[in-house]
C-alpha cells in the first residue's frame, strides 16, 4: 500500500506544522517527524532542551499535569511526553534529557 501514497496522505500533520510555524515561529526549533504509519500525527521532539519543550507546552495550552514523566536507560534519561489536538492533527511533544545525579552529601565518596 505505501508505494501508492502521495504527500496528500500526510496533509493533516503538514498543515498543522505550517500553522505552528506561522503562529509560533519564534519558539525553539524541535526535531519534526511526520510518518505515513500515523498520518494524523505530528511529532515535535526536543533533545536536551526541557525549556524548549516547556515553551511549546505552554504555547499549545497543554496543562502541566497532562505531561507524562518517565525514565529510561536505567534511570539516566528523563522523558517528558504530552499530546494535544491542533489543526486536526495530534501533536505529540516529547523531550529527552539527562537525569542529574544528586550531589553527594558530605563530599565525594
Amino acid at each position: 500500500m505505501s508505494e501508492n501514497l502521495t504527500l496528500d496522505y500526510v496533509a493533516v500533520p503538514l498543515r498543522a506544522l505550517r500553522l505552528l510555524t506561522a503562529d509560533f515561529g519564534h519558539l525553539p526549533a524541535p526535531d519534526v517527524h511526520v510518518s505515513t504509519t500515523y498520518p494524523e500525527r505530528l511529532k515535535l521532539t526536543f533533545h536536551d532542551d526541557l525549556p524548549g519543550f516547556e515553551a511549546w507546552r505552554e504555547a499549545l495550552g497543554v496543562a502541566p499535569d497532562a505531561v507524562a514523566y518517565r525514565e529510561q536507560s536505567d534511570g539516566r534519561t528523563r522523558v517528558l511526553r504530552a499530546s494535544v489536538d491542533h489543526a486536526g492533527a495530534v501533536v505529540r511533544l516529547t523531550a529527552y534529557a539527562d537525569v542529574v545525579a544528586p550531589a553527594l552529601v558530605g563530599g565525594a565518596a
Side-chain angles (χ1 to χ4, degrees), residues 11-34:
V12 170
L14 291 175
R15 181 174 41 252
L17 180 60
R18 184 181 72 224
L19 293 171
L20 291 173
T21 301
D23 294 341
F24 304 116
H26 62 283
L27 292 179
D31 288 343
V32 176
H33 186 256
V34 174

Side-chain angles (χ1 to χ4, degrees), residues 52-73:
F53 174 91
E54 283 298 307
W56 278 96
R57 181 196 60 74
E58 287 181 16
L60 292 173
V62 177
D65 62 349
V67 176
Y69 174 84
R70 67 182 180 87
E71 293 178 359
Q72 66 184 32
S73 301

Side-chain angles (χ1 to χ4, degrees), residues 20 30 41-46 50 52-70 78-86 89-96:
L20 291 173
R41 184 185 299 167
L42 172 63
K43 293 172 65 176
L44 305 179
T45 305
F46 302 86
L50 295 180
F53 174 91
E54 283 298 307
W56 278 96
R57 181 196 60 74
E58 287 181 16
L60 292 173
V62 177
D65 62 349
V67 176
Y69 174 84
R70 67 182 180 87
R78 69 180 70 184
V79 181
L80 302 176
R81 183 166 285 146
S83 294
V84 64
D85 291 332
H86 186 80
V90 175
V91 178
R92 175 180 267 179
L93 301 174
T94 305
Y96 300 96

Side-chain angles (χ1 to χ4, degrees), residues 76 78 97-103:
R76 294 185 313 251
R78 69 180 70 184
D98 292 338
V99 172
V100 179

